[in-house]
Amino acid sequence: MTTTRVIMSYPWGQKCNKDSYICTLAAEVLGVAKSELREDESGRAQALNQLREWIKKNYDIQYCRTDDSFLLRFLRVKKFSVPMAQTTILKYLNLRQTFPHLCMGLDFLNPPVKQLIEAGYIFASPIRDSQGRRVIIGIANNFNPYKYSNEDMAKAHLVTYETRLEDEESQIMGFTHFGDLKGVSAAHITLWGPTEFATVIKWGEQSVPMRHKEIHLINVPAALRYVYDFARTRFSPKIRNRFTVHTSLEDCHTKLDPKVLPKEYGGVVPMTDMIEMWKKEVASKRDKLLSLDKMKLLNNKNISAHNQLNNAKNKSEIMNLTGSFKKLEVD
């Protein structure tokens, strides 16, 4: 297996100035950008200009960020299709405004979010995997469903995702996820209403510009397997096929280098150290994340019809899950 690397030791490439964009990415990362995302200097500059002009002329959008890092994440996730990037920006803004209680005020100093990060519920490993990706680690047992709400859960996740999306290398290389679902109970599941749960998952994949490359899960409770199966169906077939449920931690190690995991899961860096490093990362991006709340979408007419079609298509499945949720509440 290819050797993993710690982010602090990453060999940055030479700077290259092309119009307003300053490239600080290593040659290997630029190679992935070109081969997988069709990104090159001339195409990048042209696409950035087109997006900025579109935002400037779109009166339904106000106070949208137009810096390179923000716009490139949408271009990269859509392989530099400008029309698709535009649609994703609209969906992203619409997601935030439709669920402001979940998506706005992404402040890691907010006590519940800070406590969840410090408890090790969700954080990013400081060590990249063999494909050069940051690994996002989630440990369900570190979330107390009797103390925290679905709003706290969502914000802890979005603080993590938005912090990593500020990094261009992660925009290009994508993300690996590791989740330990030991301890998940009915109390965790019933934090969410079925319709909101289904919508947030579906819209989240379509709206948050992340390249999810691998998703590794361990300790999936057999009693709640139907919830996992339902959640998985909310994702596109592409993402669905990237889920791997492992029968044991040792089985997971055959697919995911244990070095990227905390020492408690077979790695080399203790979880407490990983969390402390992660806290410094989120602190460095705090102002960027809070500035996201300034952005506004005045009219969602261009995307609302699409979302209504998806909602109608999934209505019967959501109603089936509602019955299961009610049974969990009784149990």
Side-chain angles (χ1 to χ4, degrees):
M1 184 175 289
T2 307
T3 303
T4 54
R5 54 186 173 81
V6 181
I7 60 169
M8 286 74 75
S9 64
Y10 190 80
W12 296 102
Q14 297 295 318
K15 290 187 176 182
C16 53
N17 196 343
K18 179 68 176 178
D19 296 326
S20 63
Y21 179 76
I22 299 178
C23 174
T24 57
L25 297 168
E28 63 183 273
V29 179
L30 291 173
V32 171
K34 185 172 184 178
S35 62
E36 295 187 12
L37 309 180
R38 302 189 297 233
E39 178 176 353
D40 56 33
E41 288 188 17
S42 61
R44 183 197 304 124
Q46 184 178 17
L48 283 170
N49 287 336
Q50 289 176 357
L51 268 190
R52 289 192 177 104
E53 282 299 308
W54 171 75
I55 291 171
K56 182 180 178 181
K57 295 176 180 178
N58 191 326
Y59 297 112
D60 289 334
I61 299 175
Q62 287 188 347
Y63 312 116
C64 186
R65 281 177 55 180
T66 57
D67 57 281
D68 294 333
S69 175
F70 183 76
L71 297 182
L72 282 170
R73 68 191 66 177
F74 295 96
L75 288 166
R76 285 165 172 156
V77 81
K78 293 303 178 183
K79 299 185 178 181
F80 276 77
S81 165
V82 173
M84 293 179 70
Q86 291 169 346
T87 299
T88 307
I89 290 174
L90 292 175
K91 288 182 177 181
Y92 172 82
L93 296 175
N94 189 53
L95 174 73
R96 289 177 52 81
Q97 291 190 179
T98 303
F99 300 100
H101 59 297
L102 305 178
C103 302
M104 293 193 177
L106 300 180
D107 188 353
F108 88 100
L109 292 179
N110 182 21
V113 176
K114 186 172 184 288
Q115 291 164 16
L116 287 171
I117 291 174
E118 291 176 339
Y121 168 59
I122 186 168
F123 57 95
S125 172
I127 304 173
R128 296 185 184 272
D129 68 9
S130 59
Q131 302 300 314
R133 304 169 191 144
R134 291 296 295 275
V135 180
I136 295 176
I137 296 170
I139 303 174
N141 221 17
N142 293 336
F143 183 98
N144 183 345
Y146 301 103
K147 181 178 180 181
Y148 301 107
S149 66
N150 65 345
E151 177 179 328
D152 302 326
M153 179 186 288
K155 287 187 175 181
H157 279 265
L158 285 173
V159 164
T160 301
Y161 302 154
E162 292 283 6
T163 295
R164 288 312 315 142
L165 282 172
E166 291 295 334
D167 173 58
E168 285 196 62
E169 185 174 354
S170 289
Q171 295 172 11
I172 293 170
M173 306 304 287
F175 297 89
T176 294
H177 300 266
F178 168 83
D180 180 358
L181 301 191
K182 181 180 179 179
V184 171
S185 66
H188 288 85
I189 304 303
T190 53
L191 286 173
W192 294 88
T195 301
E196 184 176 51
F197 177 72
T199 304
V200 167
I201 290 178
K202 187 73 174 180
W203 286 19
E205 185 201 339
Q206 296 175 352
S207 309
V208 181
M210 298 178 69
R211 303 188 70 215
H212 306 284
K213 304 299 288 185
E214 297 179 21
I215 303 166
H216 299 274
L217 302 177
I218 63 171
N219 297 321
V220 178
L224 297 177
R225 187 60 183 258
Y226 69 91
V227 177
Y228 160 76
D229 290 338
F230 174 82
R232 190 169 170 269
T233 64
R234 298 303 92 201
F235 293 103
S236 66
K238 178 179 69 174
I239 300 298
R240 199 179 307 155
N241 292 333
R242 293 176 182 178
F243 277 83
T244 303
V245 176
H246 298 279
T247 56
S248 65
L249 181 60
E250 292 72 24
D251 178 56
C252 182
H253 288 170
T254 66
K255 300 292 184 180
L256 181 65
D257 192 330
K259 291 180 182 178
V260 306
L261 299 175
K263 188 175 182 179
E264 293 82 348
Y265 286 87
V268 294
V269 180
M271 189 184 303
T272 54
D273 292 349
M274 284 190 172
I275 292 169
E276 286 304 310
M277 285 185 273
W278 178 239
K279 285 168 61 179
K280 292 178 181 178
E281 279 196 62
V282 294
S284 70
K285 304 300 182 184
R286 179 173 180 260
D287 290 343
K288 286 278 192 181
L289 268 59
L290 291 176
S291 72
L292 296 171
D293 291 353
K294 298 177 182 178
M295 301 187 296
K296 306 294 180 185
L297 180 65
L298 302 182
N299 193 322
N300 67 355
K301 63 182 183 297
N302 292 325
I303 55 176
S304 58
H306 175 82
N307 289 331
Q308 288 170 4
L309 183 62
N310 279 338
N311 289 340
K313 181 179 178 182
N314 299 325
K315 184 177 179 180
S316 61
E317 293 173 323
I318 292 172
M319 291 302 294
N320 288 337
L321 188 68
T322 301
S324 300
F325 271 54
K326 289 180 178 177
K327 183 177 184 299
L328 280 173
E329 290 170 354
V330 173
D331 294 344

